[in-house]
Amino acid sequence: MGLLENFDYYFVGITTGKARENMILTAKGNAFYPHELVHKLLPENKNRGHIIEEGLAEFLGTKINFEAYEKSRLQFATDLKLNKKVNFKIGIVSQEVIFIGYQTAYPSGAAICELVYNKKGDKGLLQLMSANTKEYNDLILTLMDITKLSLDEIIEEWNKLVLKE
């Protein structure tokens, strides 16, 4: 990625692309990068939390490449089953465990978006992308308002989507 920006080397974490300054830069070998395109197309919302920002890009963009989308979900599902630090509240929504070999926000946020889409369709996703989801409590209240589910029901549905059980 650094070479695309005319640097010999720099470290920005693990990434194969990014969207900035009205550009989409990719190190994938071609210009097709729907995840980053979604970031560019989303309406600005300074109150949109990271988990929803990445979840929308993953659900709406990456899912077009089902193998990549499913690989991310499977890796996350394995960690959800095996790692006691990874769960809906502590490890996912609050993002205290944001990187365990990959960005947990991608599959966990995608599951939130998929849950909302399954319950309320496009209108639900529009509400989610426009809502204040920066803090855990704001996100939970938003999800409860959109889906009309209790917190326990949201967590149960989210687990089903991640674990596919």
Side-chain angles (χ1 to χ4, degrees):
M1 287 304 304
L3 293 174
L4 289 172
E5 295 184 274
N6 209 23
F7 291 99
D8 291 332
Y9 171 82
Y10 72 15
F11 181 77
V12 293
I14 295 173
T15 186
T16 55
K18 59 184 171 180
R20 60 180 254 196
E21 299 167 5
N22 297 317
M23 298 182 294
I24 296 174
L25 302 172
T26 175
K28 287 181 158 244
N30 65 44
F32 185 67
Y33 207 142
H35 178 102
E36 293 301 330
L37 180 62
V38 169
H39 282 303
K40 297 306 293 175
L41 295 175
L42 286 175
E44 186 175 333
N45 177 357
K46 292 180 180 169
N47 291 316
R48 185 183 306 121
H50 176 70
I51 193 84
I52 299 305
E53 180 76 24
E54 293 301 341
L56 287 164
E58 191 76 358
F59 180 67
L60 297 172
T62 303
K63 196 169 186 178
I64 198 166
N65 178 351
F66 188 73
E67 288 178 16
Y69 186 81
E70 190 64 4
K71 180 181 175 190
S72 176
R73 186 202 59 81
L74 284 169
Q75 186 175 23
F76 185 64
T78 299
D79 287 334
L80 189 61
K81 289 177 190 174
L82 300 176
N83 186 341
K84 294 195 184 313
K85 288 183 179 179
V86 179
N87 62 53
F88 183 80
K89 182 178 180 186
I90 302 301
I92 311 314
V93 179
S94 68
Q95 287 292 286
E96 289 176 26
V97 180
I98 60 170
F99 185 81
I100 47 179
Y102 61 95
Q103 296 281 343
T104 59
Y106 289 35
S108 61
I112 290 171
C113 294
E114 190 168 348
L115 186 160
V116 168
Y117 182 78
N118 289 347
K119 296 294 179 192
K120 295 297 178 175
D122 293 336
K123 287 183 181 181
L125 282 180
L126 286 169
Q127 280 182 269
L128 183 63
M129 74 175 62
S130 301
N132 178 0
T133 55
K134 256 201 182 331
E135 302 297 327
Y136 175 74
N137 287 337
D138 296 325
L139 175 59
I140 296 306
L141 290 173
T142 296
L143 291 174
M144 290 170 66
D145 181 50
I146 294 170
T147 65
K148 306 302 182 212
L149 298 173
S150 69
L151 176 56
D152 289 340
E153 291 169 320
I154 289 169
I155 293 170
E156 182 180 332
E157 291 295 317
W158 180 86
N159 276 307
K160 285 180 192 175
L161 288 167
V162 172
L163 300 173
K164 298 285 184 188
E165 293 177 349

